[in-house]
Amino acid sequence: MTESALVAAIRKRFGALPGVRIFRMQSGVYMSPDGARHVRVGVPGMPDLLALVGARYLWIECKSSRGRTRTEQENFAAMVIGLGGAHAFCRSIEDAAGAIDGARRLAVDST
């Protein structure tokens, strides 16, 4: 499965679950609508998805079976985890299910 297909599948499968909302995050450099300038959005390494699981935030970086993580992505993950947050590199729907279940348990444990 391609990364873009995995992003779409995760959003479709888990985005409407009770207590879960998933947002597509965009990062990179884009041309402005008038074509006059480049616009940077997001920060380097920012994951593909941000899931709200109860009161817990879960960042999800989607990778194909052969996709490699970039240093910026690993640094972003380390920052999130260092701040007590949740982050997952997911290569499948099953990986995402495990990450969401884990975030759900952490959200319940912290209440």
Side-chain angles (χ1 to χ4, degrees):
M1 181 179 300
T2 65
E3 291 178 18
S4 60
L6 181 57
V7 166
I10 290 170
R11 290 181 70 199
K12 183 177 181 180
R13 175 135 178 222
F14 302 108
L17 288 177
V20 178
R21 294 297 175 267
I22 299 180
F23 302 93
R24 175 72 169 103
M25 306 305 290
Q26 299 289 347
S27 64
V29 179
Y30 301 91
M31 187 61 70
S32 64
D34 62 5
R37 65 190 180 287
H38 291 93
V39 179
R40 178 173 294 282
V41 297
V43 296
M46 189 169 72
D48 300 305
L49 299 170
L50 175 60
L52 304 180
V53 183
R56 189 78 171 174
Y57 290 84
L58 167 64
W59 292 93
I60 300 172
E61 177 61 41
C62 297
K63 291 291 174 190
S64 68
S65 61
R66 299 169 90 182
R68 296 182 186 176
T69 59
R70 296 187 331 268
T71 300
E72 295 90 350
Q73 293 169 327
E74 293 170 4
N75 291 342
F76 193 98
M79 176 198 64
V80 169
I81 293 166
L83 292 170
H87 184 286
F89 289 102
C90 296
R91 295 184 182 276
S92 67
I93 293 288
E94 293 77 20
D95 288 349
I100 290 168
D101 286 344
R104 189 171 297 192
R105 283 191 301 277
L106 287 171
V108 169
D109 291 345
S110 66
T111 57

